[in-house]
Amino acid sequence: MEQVDARGQACPLPVVRAKKALAAMDAGRLEVLVDNATAADNLESLARALKCTAHREDRDDGTFAVTFSKGAVAEGASQSALETEPAAVSDAGAASAVVIASEFMGSGDDELGAVLMKGFVFALTQLDQLPSTVLLYNSGVKLACEGSASLEDLTALQRAGVEVMSCGTCLAHFGLTERLAVGEVTNMYAIVEKQAAAATVIRP
C-alpha cells in the first residue's frame, strides 16, 4: 500500500498530494495521513469527487488516516480528475478569469486571510484546467511583487500560459511599480474587458 504523510501540512497540500499520488497509481490502495479532522474531511470529499472508495480511521495519537482504493472507482465515472497530463489553459471559448482584489482572502482576520490567499493561489496551479487570466487590483497587486508569498505560484501560472495582469494605478498607489516581479501592468479598461469576455469569473 502506498502512503502519503501530509501531517503538519496546510490546506490544500494534503488533497493535492493525494490526488497526484492517485494519478501515479495504476491500481491499489493509498493511505494518506493528516493531523486534523478538517483535512480528513477534505480527503473524503476528494474521494467522493473521484468516485473512489475511502476508509477513514481516527487514531488515538491524533492522526487521521484516509485510505483510498483506486481500483474501486465507480463504473462509468469520469476519470478526468485522475489524469496525469499537466494542466492546460482553458480554451478561448471557455476562458475563465480569476479576479483578486486583495492580498487577503475574506475579512475578519488579516493573518488568517493571508494564509488563505496563499492557499488559494497555490490551488489555482493545481487545477486540471487553468484559468486564462489572473487579474490583480487594489492590494491584490502585492501578490505579484517582490517578497510575496504567492510569487512562485503566480510565476508557475505564467509559465503555463496564464496571463497575470496587475493594475498600474494600484501599483503606483502602493509605490510598487518598480517591484512588480511577475506578469504585466494593465489598466482598468483591460481589466473590465477581460472579465466581460470570460465565460467564468472566479473570485476568492
Side-chain angles (χ1 to χ4, degrees), residues 5 7 32-36 57-65:
D5 188 347
R7 287 174 290 185
V32 183
L33 304 177
V34 292
D35 56 9
N36 63 85
E57 179 186 357
D58 298 358
R59 298 176 178 172
D60 293 337
D61 64 355
T63 297
F64 298 81

Side-chain angles (χ1 to χ4, degrees), residues 5-6 8 13-14 36 43 54 58 74-75 94 99-100 104 118 133 135 142 168 170 179 190 197:
D5 188 347
L13 274 175
N36 63 85
L43 290 169
D58 298 358
E75 184 177 355
V99 178
I100 300 178
F104 307 116
K118 186 178 186 301
T133 308
L135 301 169
K142 295 181 180 181
C170 305
R179 296 184 60 191

Side-chain angles (χ1 to χ4, degrees), residues 10 19 34 36 40 44 56 59 87 98 116 118 134 140 146 156 163 176 179 190:
K19 185 176 176 182
V34 292
N36 63 85
E44 289 184 302
R56 171 173 166 172
R59 298 176 178 172
V98 176
L116 295 177
K118 186 178 186 301
V134 174
E146 297 170 0
E163 291 181 299
L176 295 172
R179 296 184 60 191

Side-chain angles (χ1 to χ4, degrees), residues 113-165:
V115 172
L116 295 177
M117 182 59 77
K118 186 178 186 301
F120 175 82
V121 177
F122 171 73
L124 291 176
T125 69
Q126 303 301 308
L127 291 175
D128 293 322
Q129 198 74 19
L130 297 179
S132 58
T133 308
V134 174
L135 301 169
L136 306 167
Y137 56 81
N138 209 316
S139 67
V141 300
K142 295 181 180 181
L143 301 178
C145 293
E146 297 170 0
S148 165
S150 294
L151 192 57
E152 183 178 345
D153 293 323
L154 287 174
T155 300
L157 288 170
Q158 181 178 251
R159 287 175 178 165
V162 178
E163 291 181 299
V164 178
M165 308 174 74

Side-chain angles (χ1 to χ4, degrees), residues 2-204:
E2 300 289 334
Q3 185 183 80
V4 169
D5 188 347
R7 287 174 290 185
Q9 297 184 344
C11 173
L13 274 175
V15 169
V16 169
R17 291 187 62 195
K19 185 176 176 182
K20 287 185 175 180
L22 286 166
M25 293 170 53
D26 292 327
R29 293 192 300 161
L30 171 71
E31 181 183 68
V32 183
L33 304 177
V34 292
D35 56 9
N36 63 85
T38 299
D41 291 342
N42 291 338
L43 290 169
E44 289 184 302
S45 295
L46 174 66
R48 289 191 293 271
L50 300 182
K51 303 297 188 293
C52 290
T53 59
H55 172 73
R56 171 173 166 172
E57 179 186 357
D58 298 358
R59 298 176 178 172
D60 293 337
D61 64 355
T63 297
F64 298 81
V66 179
T67 303
F68 296 81
S69 298
K70 185 174 179 181
V73 175
E75 184 177 355
S78 170
Q79 298 295 312
S80 61
L82 292 177
E83 293 296 330
T84 58
E85 292 298 318
V89 176
S90 301
D91 294 334
S96 60
V98 176
V99 178
I100 300 178
S102 173
E103 62 191 299
F104 307 116
M105 185 174 184
S107 60
D109 187 300
D110 287 349
E111 184 177 357
L112 173 61
V115 172
L116 295 177
M117 182 59 77
K118 186 178 186 301
F120 175 82
V121 177
F122 171 73
L124 291 176
T125 69
Q126 303 301 308
L127 291 175
D128 293 322
Q129 198 74 19
L130 297 179
S132 58
T133 308
V134 174
L135 301 169
L136 306 167
Y137 56 81
N138 209 316
S139 67
V141 300
K142 295 181 180 181
L143 301 178
C145 293
E146 297 170 0
S148 165
S150 294
L151 192 57
E152 183 178 345
D153 293 323
L154 287 174
T155 300
L157 288 170
Q158 181 178 251
R159 287 175 178 165
V162 178
E163 291 181 299
V164 178
M165 308 174 74
S166 295
C167 167
T169 299
C170 305
L171 288 166
H173 174 80
F174 291 110
L176 295 172
T177 303
E178 302 302 320
R179 296 184 60 191
L180 184 67
V182 61
E184 61 184 281
V185 178
T186 191
N187 56 75
M188 189 52 64
Y189 180 80
I191 289 173
V192 172
E193 188 177 46
K194 289 290 185 181
Q195 293 184 69
T200 305
V201 176
I202 303 169
R203 300 175 186 271

